[in-house]
Amino acid sequence: MTRIDAWTWSVRLFKTRSAAASACRGGHVKINGSAAKPAQHVVPGDEVRIRAGGFEKIVEVTQLVNKRVGAPAAVTCYIDRSPPPPPRELFAAVPVRDRGAGRPTKRDRREIDRLRSAPPSD
């Protein structure tokens, strides 16, 4: 048996083990639909959901590893069932000010705020 924080770090889903443990404590890691504590054990066949960076990664455990492995070996330890990321066109482009234009005026700031709070167009 392997701890969930150690397994997610070992298969390179998190950069550090402490980051994996923090994500577990924060409720961002779920095993079979229930929130996982860092010391919870994972077994082959479990579904692990990780919410990080505004996206959700869904993986199925196929192999247990205790030590960090290389990227080619890591992808053999799980099956990625994550939905494809949304197309880049759906994200609004951040308005760019010309270099040296100075601080935005009150009018510029209101236009920027209006663009940021506008609902996404279909």
Side-chain angles (χ1 to χ4, degrees):
M1 286 198 260
T2 304
R3 292 169 52 118
I4 185 65
D5 62 341
W7 185 82
T8 54
W9 168 75
S10 297
V11 297
R12 298 179 174 266
L13 295 175
F14 286 101
K15 217 171 196 179
T16 64
R17 184 163 174 189
S18 61
S22 296
C24 291
R25 281 192 296 273
H28 300 292
V29 178
K30 296 184 183 214
I31 298 176
N32 297 326
S34 61
K37 292 183 178 180
Q40 187 170 342
H41 292 289
V42 66
V43 295
D46 282 349
E47 179 189 69
V48 178
R49 291 177 177 258
I50 299 169
R51 192 168 30 99
F55 299 104
E56 187 172 44
K57 187 156 184 98
I58 304 167
V59 296
E60 181 183 333
V61 179
T62 58
Q63 185 179 357
L64 298 179
V65 289
N66 290 323
K67 294 189 176 189
R68 193 163 170 96
V69 294
V75 295
T76 63
C77 297
Y78 61 86
I79 300 170
D80 192 358
R81 301 196 188 281
S82 304
R88 293 185 141 259
E89 295 85 38
L90 291 180
F91 295 107
V94 178
V96 178
R97 290 184 50 83
D98 294 330
R99 187 170 177 88
R103 289 181 58 160
T105 63
K106 195 173 201 176
R107 180 180 176 188
D108 292 339
R109 183 183 51 80
R110 286 183 178 151
E111 288 177 4
I112 291 169
D113 288 345
R114 190 169 16 93
L115 285 172
R116 286 184 181 161
S117 66
S121 60
D122 292 329

